[in-house]
């Protein structure tokens, strides 16, 4: 770390904090990326610091990767807790005490990072509390999705935020962009002379971004009733990944140039038309508590996105995500155009397995695969689909991998906006979604454990969805040390 930090964790007793944020902060601390720090937890729960430390340890034991026990003792001593119901002054006093402790260890200026792991309706009240507590100066704020539910609400949210925080202080987090595989798209494209020249409409036929989930909505039905799959996943996650895939080369890998190029992609998108969208709802969703018997909320959405610029004109981008689906995955699949003609004899197998694909797996253990046709050994000219694969966990650097939240927290502390979403970008995405939100297509039912409504096949025709895969990822024989 470049300077000491006080991290104020709102919603510190919630599920995200237990699963990701506290284990992530511990790993950053153990890795030496968060040494001079104090963490002030706050929530609506009636806890004291001792009980908060115990709760943090329980979450870390359940969800963290292995860690050094002596590291925990040092980390635990840096935790404190204040009840949110005690008001702004109590929070200000807790932060002041944490800063006082840090001041005895370092003479550098102390920065503040406020992480808002709270429901959307609580975000602005927390921002007001920070203003009343005098905790805006020397601070940055991380906000969780959704960033509004349409253009009007997004503009209102950004306006209210900007009354307290400057845009340079605001970090709208999208954990998809914190994954190694998402950033590997940039490395793959812009560091290799082999691929950038063919990254356009002349060589790429279509692109799929596919994020099915097996989990249902038993614990999130109330939240989903006010959002749905499109607002929850597409605007905040899938579109951001699409921008990495489709943007022009930035002048540098600095936050400003990358944000500029992502915004150009969003501005080039054609308005999303209802006939290019399939909405679905899994059977049984309406039986959940807090869900209306006639709910029109989609738990599944698939859509075709068109980017009307020189590089991508005529190349469709197909996006799909949903709950209670056949399997969970996070795949970007790029289909290359097939040769204009073939000289191979009938029955050789060429074309039988579809076009060549470059596939990025955005799982925590990221992988990439390039498929192609090759000759099967033996007499005659028989072809089969082969692949070259790379997996992060097979490399000698696998222990250096930061999980998505860890990377993004670290970037926010350094003031690096590269992997975060801007107010202008979010508003532009809501703008291109206006027609769809005003006149959504009907919700179609689908069976839990399926791949969504049957209409998805008409949406993507004459192509086909790549999931389920026609082949398996290669399983390594050994794990890298």
């Amino acid at each position: 770390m470049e300077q000491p930090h006080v991290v104020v964790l709102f919603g510190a007793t919630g599920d995200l904090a237990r699963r990701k944020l506290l284990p992530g902060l511990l790993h950053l601390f153990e890795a030496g990326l968060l040494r001079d720090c104090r963490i002030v937890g706050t929530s609506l729960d009636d806890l004291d610091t001792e009980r908060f430390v115990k709760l943090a340890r329980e979450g870390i034991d359940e969800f963290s990767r292995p860690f050094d026990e002596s590291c925990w003792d040092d980390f635990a001593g840096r935790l404190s807790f204040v009840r949110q119901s005690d008001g702004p002054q109590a929070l200000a006093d807790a932060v002041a005490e944490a800063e006082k402790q840090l001041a005895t260890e370092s003479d550098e200026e102390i920065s503040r990072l406020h992480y808002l792991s709270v429901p959307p309706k609580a975000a602005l009240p927390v921002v007001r509390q920070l203003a009343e507590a005098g905790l805006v100066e020397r601070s940055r704020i991380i906000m969780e999705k959704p960033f509004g539910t349409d253009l009007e609400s997004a503009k209102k949210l950004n306006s209210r935020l900007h009354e307290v925080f400057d845009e340079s202080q605001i970090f709208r987090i999208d954990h998809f962009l914190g994954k190694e595989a998402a950033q590997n798209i940039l490395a793959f494209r812009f560091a290799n002379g082999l691929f950038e020249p063919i990254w356009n409409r002349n060589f790429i036929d279509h692109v799929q971004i596919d994020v099915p989930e097996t989990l249902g909505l038993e614990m999130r039905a109330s939240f989903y009733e006010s959002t749905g799959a499109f607002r929850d996943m597409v605007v905040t996650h899938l579109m951001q990944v699409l921008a990495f895939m489709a943007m022009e080369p930035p002048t540098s890998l600095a936050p400003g140039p990358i944000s500029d190029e992502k915004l150009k992609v969003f501005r080039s998108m054609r308005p999303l038309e209802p006939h290019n969208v399939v909405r679905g709802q899994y059977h049984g969703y309406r039986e959940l508590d807090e869900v209306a018997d006639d709910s029109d909320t989609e738990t599944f959405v698939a859509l075709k996105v068109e980017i009307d610029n020189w590089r991508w004109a005529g190349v469709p981008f197909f996006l799909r995500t949903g709950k209670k689906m056949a399997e969970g995955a996070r795949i970007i699949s790029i289909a290359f155009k097939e040769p204009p003609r073939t000289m191979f004899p009938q029955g050789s197998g060429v074309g039988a397995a579809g076009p060549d694909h470059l596939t990025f797996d955005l799982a925590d253990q990221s992988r990439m695969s390039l498929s192609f046709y090759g000759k099967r050994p033996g007499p005659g000219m028989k072809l089969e689909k082969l692949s070259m694969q790379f997996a992060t966990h097979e490399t000698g650097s696998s222990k250096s991998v930061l999980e998505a939240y860890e990377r993004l927290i670290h970037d926010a502390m350094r003031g690096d906006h590269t992997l975060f979403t801007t107010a202008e970008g979010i508003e532009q995405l809501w703008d291109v979604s206006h027609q769809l939100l005003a006149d959504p297509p009907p919700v179609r039912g689908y069976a839990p454990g399926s791949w969504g409504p049957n209409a998805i096949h008409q949406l993507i025709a004459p192509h086909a969805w790549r999931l389920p895969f026609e082949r398996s990822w290669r399983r390594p024989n050994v794990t890298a040390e």
Side-chain angles (χ1 to χ4, degrees):
M1 286 304 305
E2 296 177 359
Q3 59 192 55
H5 265 79
V6 172
V7 179
V8 183
L9 181 54
F10 291 87
T13 57
D15 186 63
L16 179 62
R18 291 181 66 250
R19 286 176 174 271
K20 295 293 185 181
L21 304 183
L22 288 166
L25 288 167
L26 173 62
H27 185 241
L28 288 173
F29 181 76
E30 187 177 28
L33 300 174
L34 188 64
R35 299 304 300 179
D36 298 328
C37 73
R38 290 292 186 276
I39 299 167
V40 179
T42 181
S43 75
L44 297 175
D45 289 322
D46 186 13
L47 300 179
D48 57 17
T49 294
E50 182 179 355
R51 291 176 64 193
F52 174 58
V53 171
K54 181 180 178 182
L55 190 72
R57 179 58 194 251
E58 291 172 356
I60 285 168
D61 283 342
E62 185 174 358
F63 299 109
S64 177
R65 69 188 78 180
F67 59 91
D68 186 341
E69 191 64 36
S70 63
C71 180
W72 161 256
D73 294 335
D74 192 357
F75 181 77
R78 298 170 184 270
L79 300 176
S80 62
F81 187 85
V82 57
R83 294 176 301 185
Q84 202 147 0
S85 57
D86 289 341
Q89 189 57 51
L91 180 63
D93 292 343
V95 173
E97 176 61 27
E99 291 181 345
K100 180 180 177 182
Q101 294 171 358
L102 280 177
T104 64
E105 302 172 9
S106 172
D107 57 1
E108 295 183 73
E109 183 179 54
I110 298 170
S111 297
R112 303 159 178 160
L113 180 71
H114 308 303
Y115 198 119
L116 273 60
S117 178
V118 298
K121 63 182 180 181
L124 286 177
V126 167
V127 170
R128 287 195 296 270
Q129 184 181 22
L130 288 170
E132 293 170 9
L135 297 176
V136 176
E137 186 182 3
R138 294 182 282 111
S139 71
R140 300 182 179 103
I141 180 172
I142 296 179
M143 299 196 65
E144 284 281 346
K145 67 177 178 72
F147 313 115
T149 56
D150 55 21
L151 180 58
E152 182 180 356
S153 62
K155 285 184 173 180
K156 182 178 179 181
L157 174 62
N158 288 328
S159 176
R160 293 282 187 86
L161 286 173
H162 292 156
E163 290 175 2
V164 179
F165 290 95
D166 184 77
E167 178 66 17
S168 64
Q169 295 176 280
I170 302 170
F171 292 76
R172 298 168 186 82
I173 195 167
D174 175 8
H175 70 274
F176 273 44
L177 295 189
K179 295 179 177 294
E180 287 283 349
Q183 296 169 74
N184 236 333
I185 298 172
L186 298 181
F188 205 81
R189 286 189 60 186
F190 302 132
N192 296 294
L194 177 62
F195 289 100
E196 179 54 27
I198 62 171
W199 210 268
N200 56 55
R201 58 186 169 82
N202 295 322
F203 299 94
I204 292 177
D205 185 76
H206 67 279
V207 177
Q208 295 180 33
I209 302 176
D210 213 349
V211 187
E213 298 180 276
T214 57
L215 296 176
L217 290 161
E218 288 77 9
M219 306 300 294
R220 301 180 68 209
S222 177
F223 166 75
Y224 237 66
E225 278 295 280
S226 62
T227 53
F230 180 81
R231 290 179 170 92
D232 180 47
M233 290 292 294
V234 175
V235 173
T236 49
H237 290 325
L238 274 64
M239 290 294 196
Q240 304 301 324
V241 173
L242 183 153
F244 265 30
M245 160 63 205
M247 71 183 193
E248 295 296 319
T251 54
S252 72
L253 288 182
I258 287 182
S259 293
D260 290 344
E261 297 304 334
K262 287 173 60 182
L263 184 57
K264 290 178 185 177
V265 173
F266 300 149
R267 286 173 174 166
S268 299
M269 286 183 183
R270 291 184 177 179
L272 301 179
E273 299 179 356
H275 70 268
N276 283 331
V277 178
V278 175
R279 297 169 68 232
Q281 184 185 94
Y282 67 79
H283 299 314
Y285 173 76
R286 294 179 182 178
E287 299 171 10
L288 299 177
D289 294 338
E290 301 182 299
V291 175
D293 292 340
D294 60 349
S295 172
D296 190 48
T297 300
E298 79 276 2
T299 63
F300 169 98
V301 64
L303 61 154
K304 180 170 76 170
V305 178
E306 298 172 284
I307 302 175
D308 195 12
N309 63 16
W310 192 267
R311 182 182 290 263
W312 296 114
V315 178
F317 288 73
F318 297 102
L319 281 54
R320 177 173 66 169
T321 186
K323 307 294 183 181
K324 288 264 189 178
M325 298 187 69
E327 64 181 75
R330 295 169 180 177
I331 297 293
I332 304 170
S333 186
I334 300 158
F336 293 99
K337 290 185 175 180
E338 298 188 69
R341 66 178 300 273
T342 177
M343 74 289 294
F344 294 95
Q346 189 173 3
S348 64
V350 66
D356 299 337
H357 283 86
L358 174 63
T359 304
F360 294 88
D361 184 351
L362 300 186
D364 291 333
Q365 294 286 3
S366 64
R367 297 173 290 193
M368 293 189 304
S369 171
L370 179 63
S371 70
F372 54 91
Y373 285 100
K375 182 184 179 299
R376 182 184 301 169
M381 184 58 74
K382 292 285 187 179
L383 278 69
E384 61 184 346
K385 212 56 179 277
L386 308 172
S387 69
M388 293 187 294
Q389 298 188 7
F390 160 81
T392 300
H393 58 272
E394 293 178 324
T395 70
S397 303
S398 60
K399 289 187 177 181
S400 301
V401 172
L402 294 178
E403 291 188 357
Y405 280 100
E406 297 167 1
R407 179 184 308 280
L408 294 170
I409 290 171
H410 185 237
D411 283 355
M413 287 180 169
R414 297 186 298 115
D416 186 343
H417 277 87
T418 302
L419 302 177
F420 294 86
T421 306
T422 65
E424 192 174 3
I426 283 292
E427 291 176 10
Q428 183 63 40
L429 286 173
W430 286 124
D431 191 31
V432 300
S433 306
H434 173 75
Q435 187 175 343
L436 171 62
L437 297 176
D439 184 25
V443 164
R444 304 167 185 263
Y446 66 96
S450 70
W451 288 102
N454 288 332
I456 62 171
H457 302 298
Q458 287 77 48
L459 174 70
I460 201 171
H463 314 296
W465 294 99
R466 290 213 72 207
L467 288 176
F469 270 148
E470 73 278 1
R471 58 181 175 75
S472 299
W473 287 97
R474 172 172 51 81
R475 296 183 180 277
N477 295 322
V478 295
T479 302
E481 292 294 329

